[in-house]
Amino acid sequence: MNRILTLCMLLLLMLGFHGCQQQLNRNARTPKYVYHKGYTPKKLRNGKVTVPYKAPARIKKAIAAGNKIIGRPYRLGGGHGKHYDSAYDCSGSVAFILHECGMLKKDSFPSSGQFLKWGHPGFGKWLTVYAKRGHVFLMIAGMRFDTTGTNRGVGPRWYTESRPCGGFYVRHIPGF
């Protein structure tokens, strides 16, 4: 009986550890952008991206939301006091997109560190949040939405380039 109880406890511990957040190792990079007709966006000259016709409705809304705020300047605290703002920081821009596609409550304006507990651990099929204390960004349908690129704090933009993501935790909503 003790052996069965011990095995059950070990199994429960293993399941508990499996559900822990997935922190990426220091050499990790975001996935390389590869275009797949109907499934991934194309970047346009104006900085916006196309909406893939085979994407789920929420993902189409997420991409459209990103297109609404690209080109806005970076401002620490931007997008936290109100949904529509003149400038956005990393968590404000991520929150804007997640609000628009119904994956975040409208009255919620989390900081980058608070995204560590958003959704569920692991990579999403269509949308993944990369979060750590101090920065957060999204991968949506294979395209990166981020406020930092070649220069720090440039504001919300779409990127096809991969980026280092060691130390980030990955989060998603099941089904997306």
Side-chain angles (χ1 to χ4, degrees), residues 55-134:
R58 278 186 166 184
I59 299 305
K60 290 177 180 178
K61 287 180 182 178
I63 293 169
N67 282 340
K68 286 181 187 177
I69 62 170
I70 60 111
R72 301 272 173 95
Y74 179 89
R75 184 179 71 229
L76 188 60
H80 288 274
K82 53 187 173 182
H83 185 62
Y84 292 99
D85 205 343
S86 59
Y88 290 86
D89 67 5
C90 62
S91 53
S93 63
V94 167
F96 180 86
I97 289 174
L98 296 178
H99 286 146
E100 291 285 300
C101 70
M103 293 186 185
L104 190 64
K105 293 178 185 174
K106 289 282 186 189
D107 59 349
S108 174
F109 297 99
S111 66
S112 57
Q114 291 171 317
F115 277 106
L116 292 169
K117 295 180 180 178
W118 176 84
H120 294 267
F123 295 93
K125 178 180 178 180
W126 289 96
L127 186 144
T128 301
V129 170
Y130 288 74
K132 68 178 182 179
R133 296 202 186 286

